[in-house]
Amino acid sequence: AQSVTQLGSHVSVSEGALVLLRCNYSSSVPPYLFWYVQYPNQGLQLLLKYTSAATLVKGINGFEAEFKKSETSFHLTKPSAHMSDAAEYFCAVSDRGTGNQFYFGTGTSLTVIP
Amino acid sequence: DGGITQSPKYLFRKEGQNVTLSCEQNLNHDAMYWYRQDPGQGLRLIYYSQIVNDFQKGDIAEGYSVSREKKESFPLTVTSAQKNPTAFYLCASSITAGTNEKLFFGSGTQLSVL
């Protein structure tokens, strides 16, 4: 089964600073990769996804992520943090083959300090 | 507006009681999912349905049951066999059951035990 690891359950950055949220996956075959954001007491919404083609994926709200096969990573970045970015972020993976499972990481809570 | 509606937002269960969480979507999506979210554990799949009148167990199906009699509805019953039901429950859907699909989430139901 797939697994995904998010290093750092809590990340704090100053407003205007770089945001870096880490995600590593376990599969030897590159999976589909996703980043979702969750605001308090709400469901998740998709930030971006990698399915093939370009390894640098741009998403909503200025976020982007780079797929690195050699490092089995899909880290999420944003050049300049905004107060509205404070939320929980989840990395998810799914297999390219059969099965219908999406495997979610344990999440990273982002705090933005004014 | 199209979307996923979960109700109720908050639900309390007494010992030995079965409770049902509602999930309705008007997105005309084929696939629907139920996830359980516990603090620090990310999302875990309870059940999913690829098509009407069909559903499959996820990783933590014990103590839960579902039905998919209509395309737009995927209710989850938390039975008395589920000994630790307190959690945030999220319903999701996708256009098809493909694993490269974006998941659309409802706003969740918080279930607590009295």
Side-chain angles (χ1 to χ4, degrees):
Chain A
Q2 283 277 6
S3 70
V4 57
T5 302
Q6 291 184 243
L7 289 176
S9 57
H10 297 276
V11 171
S12 294
V13 298
S14 298
E15 190 174 15
L18 171 72
V19 176
L20 171 60
L21 304 181
R22 300 178 185 274
C23 173
N24 289 87
Y25 62 91
S26 65
S27 175
S28 58
V29 176
Y32 298 123
L33 294 151
F34 308 80
W35 275 101
Y36 285 86
V37 61
Q38 184 181 33
Y39 298 100
N41 299 314
Q42 294 186 26
L44 282 69
Q45 56 183 261
L46 183 71
L47 280 175
L48 49 82
K49 70 175 183 179
Y50 168 79
T51 55
S52 62
T55 56
L56 182 63
V57 182
K58 294 187 183 297
I60 62 172
N61 301 338
F63 284 94
E64 61 183 38
E66 186 173 9
F67 170 68
K68 291 187 177 180
K69 182 179 177 181
S70 61
E71 299 178 7
T72 60
S73 69
F74 191 57
H75 302 330
L76 182 71
T77 60
K78 182 174 180 178
S80 177
H82 191 271
M83 296 298 294
S84 61
D85 295 327
E88 188 91 14
Y89 291 81
F90 291 92
C91 182
V93 301
S94 64
D95 288 323
R96 290 176 177 268
T98 58
N100 301 88
Q101 287 250 28
F102 295 86
Y103 300 90
F104 285 82
T106 53
T108 297
S109 177
L110 176 66
T111 300
V112 181
I113 304 166
Chain B
D1 287 340
I4 299 179
T5 302
Q6 289 188 242
S7 62
K9 191 169 180 65
Y10 299 97
L11 186 59
F12 297 91
R13 193 191 88 167
K14 296 179 181 178
E15 289 288 336
Q17 185 181 42
N18 293 351
V19 292
T20 298
L21 285 61
S22 171
C23 177
E24 302 279 330
Q25 55 103 352
N26 60 5
L27 299 168
N28 200 33
H29 285 177
D30 283 335
M32 297 187 74
Y33 309 80
W34 273 106
Y35 287 92
R36 170 177 170 144
Q37 184 177 20
D38 295 278
Q41 294 193 42
L43 279 68
R44 292 180 290 169
L45 182 65
I46 305 173
Y47 270 97
Y48 66 95
S49 169
Q50 300 180 56
I51 199 167
V52 176
N53 292 322
D54 180 70
F55 50 83
Q56 307 293 330
K57 292 182 179 180
D59 296 323
I60 55 165
E62 185 175 350
Y64 300 97
S65 66
V66 294
S67 63
R68 185 87 187 276
E69 297 176 1
K70 298 186 296 183
K71 187 175 186 178
E72 59 269 26
S73 179
F74 192 41
L76 173 74
T77 296
V78 183
T79 74
S80 57
Q82 173 50 246
K83 298 306 180 187
N84 183 24
T86 296
F88 191 55
Y89 290 85
L90 286 163
C91 180
S93 71
S94 59
I95 296 173
T96 71
T99 53
N100 61 342
E101 293 283 354
K102 168 185 175 180
L103 291 174
F104 292 76
F105 284 85
S107 56
T109 294
Q110 176 64 52
L111 175 62
S112 303
V113 176
L114 288 175

